[in-house]
């Protein structure tokens, strides 16, 4: 899942004889430490007489004149929010668009008693901490060439291939601070062809899939040599050549890469693309 910054739209209303006095709404930003910051935006009308509602979080005070038009209220609220590093804002008439500065999942903004219409066109995605308490039970990963794949078996009892429990599928969450993957060494050479789980081919990961082509090429060559049927022998020989060519192409493509992946714990951390 891709990371996304929360986008909030706020449609303000005008003040009528102090109707917005001490009224407020709530909104949350994501800090650069990937912790949610909670705010409440409250309104003072006419320069005095307002009472801070203090519902919790950081207060943002907005001052407007009595009977201020909805566009004036929107402009004042937008300016106050933009002073916080967690937000950038834009305003069009009575509508404010607030974009969180840092990507990540936060509590959606909500009107409390101001009478504003608040929606979330884009919900933020990304969590600091994984929702997997025991990732070793449900997550797996593999490397194919230069690509890292992370899969999960978490799901329901549904028959759908996208949610069925036990089936491999793409990981279902976005993690902000990166992913730590531990492994301790590349496997040793295969010790027994009859018990493949006791060992693994001591080759770079990028060549593992192409070993199948090498084995197929040898099997087809053997079949061509042993068959008394000319058609079978010719077909087997052609197939053997096809798989041998795939194996050799893979050696040219991946065989010269220098990799040091033996011993020690490794950490793979995606780029910070905020």
């Amino acid at each position: 899942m891709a990371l996304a910054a929360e986008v909030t739209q706020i449609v303000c209303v005008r003040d009528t004889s102090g109707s917005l006095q001490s009224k407020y709404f709530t909104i949350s930003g994501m800090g650069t430490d990937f912790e949610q910051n909670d705010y409440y935006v409250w309104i003072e009308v006419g320069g005095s007489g307002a009472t801070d509602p203090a519902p919790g979080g950081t207060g943002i005070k907005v001052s407007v004149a009595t009977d201020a038009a909805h566009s004036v209220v929107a402009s004042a609220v937008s300016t106050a929010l933009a002073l916080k590093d967690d937000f950038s804002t834009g305003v069009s008439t009575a509508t404010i668009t607030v974009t969180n500065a840092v990507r990540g999942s936060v509590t959606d903004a909500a009107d409390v008693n101001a009478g504003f219409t608040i929606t979330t066109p884009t919900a933020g995605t990304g969590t600091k901490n994984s929702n997997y308490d025991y990732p070793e039970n449900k997550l797996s990963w593999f490397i194919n060439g230069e690509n890292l794949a992370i899969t999960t078996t978490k799901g329901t009892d549904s028959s759908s291939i996208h949610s069925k429990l036990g089936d491999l599928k793409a990981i279902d969450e976005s993690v902000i601070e990166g992913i730590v993957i531990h492994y301790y060494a590349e496997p040793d050479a295969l010790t027994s062809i009859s018990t493949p789980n006791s060992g693994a081919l001591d080759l770079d990961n990028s060549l593992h899939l192409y070993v199948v082509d090498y084995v197929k090429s040898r099997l087809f060559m053997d079949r061509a040599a042993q068959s008394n049927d000319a058609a079978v022998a010719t077909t087997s020989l052609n197939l053997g050549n096809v798989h041998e060519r795939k194996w050799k192409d893979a050696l040219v493509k991946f065989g010269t890469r220098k990799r040091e992946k033996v011993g020690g714990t490794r950490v793979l951390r995606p780029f910070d693309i905020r």
Side-chain angles (χ1 to χ4, degrees):
M1 298 175 65
L3 298 178
E6 183 109 346
V7 178
T8 304
Q9 279 195 342
I10 305 167
V11 180
C12 299
V13 298
R14 65 171 295 120
D15 177 73
T16 302
S17 302
S19 59
L20 293 178
Q21 188 77 287
S22 303
K23 303 299 174 57
Y24 72 100
F25 66 89
T26 60
I27 189 168
S28 297
M30 180 65 72
T32 55
D33 57 354
F34 302 115
E35 295 287 353
Q36 176 173 303
N37 297 324
D38 296 323
Y39 300 91
Y40 63 96
V41 180
W42 65 286
I43 301 173
E44 179 185 68
V45 179
S48 62
T51 301
D52 185 344
T58 302
I60 300 176
K61 180 180 177 181
V62 178
S63 296
V64 298
T66 303
D67 296 325
H70 55 16
S71 58
V72 174
V73 174
S75 179
V77 172
S78 175
T79 299
L81 282 169
L83 292 176
K84 298 296 182 181
D85 292 337
D86 287 350
F87 308 112
S88 62
T89 65
V91 62
S92 176
T93 314
T95 302
I96 309 166
T97 300
V98 184
T99 303
N100 285 13
V102 178
R103 300 176 185 184
S105 177
V106 297
T107 302
D108 292 345
D111 180 67
V112 178
N113 55 16
F116 296 171
T117 300
I118 299 178
T119 57
T120 308
T122 303
T125 58
T127 59
K128 182 176 182 180
N129 300 309
S130 172
N131 293 319
Y132 286 86
D133 294 330
Y134 301 97
E136 66 274 13
N137 294 337
K138 293 185 174 68
L139 296 180
S140 60
W141 62 276
F142 62 89
I143 296 175
N144 182 14
E146 298 296 331
N147 301 312
L148 169 67
I150 302 176
T151 61
T152 178
T153 58
K154 188 172 76 171
T156 66
D157 292 329
S158 168
S159 59
S160 169
I161 59 173
H162 299 295
S163 60
K164 186 176 180 181
L165 178 66
D167 284 358
L168 291 176
K169 57 191 76 69
I171 188 171
D172 54 347
E173 65 178 41
S174 302
V175 180
I176 296 173
E177 284 200 308
I179 301 170
V180 178
I181 297 177
H182 297 279
Y183 67 93
Y184 297 96
E186 283 292 288
D188 296 327
L190 189 65
T191 56
S192 172
I193 194 67
S194 61
T195 56
N197 290 333
S198 65
L201 294 175
D202 195 18
L203 292 173
D204 185 84
N205 296 335
S206 58
L207 288 173
H208 284 187
L209 291 177
Y210 298 99
V211 172
V212 176
D213 287 306
Y214 175 79
V215 173
K216 285 183 176 180
S217 73
R218 298 304 96 188
L219 291 174
F220 279 121
M221 292 294 185
D222 288 344
R223 187 176 183 183
Q226 296 171 6
S227 178
N228 294 322
D229 187 319
V232 171
T234 300
T235 301
S236 298
L237 183 61
N238 289 337
L239 289 171
N241 288 332
V242 168
H243 288 290
E244 184 177 33
R245 186 160 56 250
K246 289 182 178 180
W247 165 247
K248 289 182 177 179
D249 289 345
L251 286 179
V252 172
K253 184 176 181 180
F254 299 112
T256 58
R257 296 187 179 181
K258 302 298 183 182
R259 299 170 184 258
E260 176 55 51
K261 295 194 289 184
V262 292
T265 299
R266 296 292 188 267
V267 175
L268 295 177
R269 180 166 184 154
F271 290 108
D272 185 347
I273 55 174
R274 286 177 289 128

